Amino acid sequence: MSGEALHKVGFRTMDALEPSEDMLAVAKEKNIYGRLIQDFLGTNRLDIEDGEYDATVMVGGMVEGHVGCDCLEELIRVVKPGGFVVICMREVNLRKVPEYHKLEPRMAALQSEGCWERVSRDVFPNYCEGEDGVIFVYRVC
């Protein structure tokens, strides 16, 4: 759904990354993505060139048992310097899911290491099932 929303506001060159073959089939039917990449996002190196993208957007990937905090370096790697990494998730997961207790400290460490800089961190209502969402935006250095 996030790809559809981005397409609706004018984004035309987008790829999809998804571990599930079935979900990639759904993405293909939307006819808005270029590459459909079947892989997990984590510490593994994706089949994507360094600095390939102006931005990466992850919506709904950071839920319990899915994408871990160890994916941040790979998101940074595939974005051009000056580009953006955008992560949107349920705000409650920062407190409720043990894996995400370390998310913001890891984000801060990557900023201290000169990998990226925070542009914004915003909490907003009714993201999913009546729960608040949080959206992080970082600029890659």
Side-chain angles (χ1 to χ4, degrees), residues 2 56-63 69 72 85-97 100-101 103-104 107 118-138:
S2 60
T56 58
V57 178
M58 178 171 32
V59 178
M62 289 199 153
V63 296
C69 298
L72 300 177
V85 175
V86 180
I87 299 171
C88 186
M89 61 186 289
R90 291 182 192 204
E91 194 268 341
V92 69
N93 285 350
L94 294 171
R95 297 182 306 278
K96 186 172 120 179
V97 179
Y100 302 131
H101 295 171
L103 179 61
E104 290 185 281
M107 289 173 159
R118 186 163 81 178
V119 175
S120 63
R121 178 198 188 276
D122 295 304
V123 176
F124 58 96
N126 298 316
Y127 167 61
C128 185
E129 298 176 350
E131 292 182 351
D132 290 350
V134 60
I135 186 165
F136 299 96
V137 179
Y138 282 85

Side-chain angles (χ1 to χ4, degrees), residues 18-46:
E18 170 62 48
S20 163
E21 188 174 338
D22 291 341
M23 291 304 293
L24 274 183
V26 171
K28 184 176 183 176
E29 289 175 8
K30 296 177 188 300
N31 202 31
I32 59 173
Y33 298 104
R35 287 183 66 201
L36 299 168
I37 304 163
Q38 186 176 2
D39 206 342
F40 288 92
L41 179 60
T43 59
N44 55 303
R45 184 179 176 92
L46 298 169

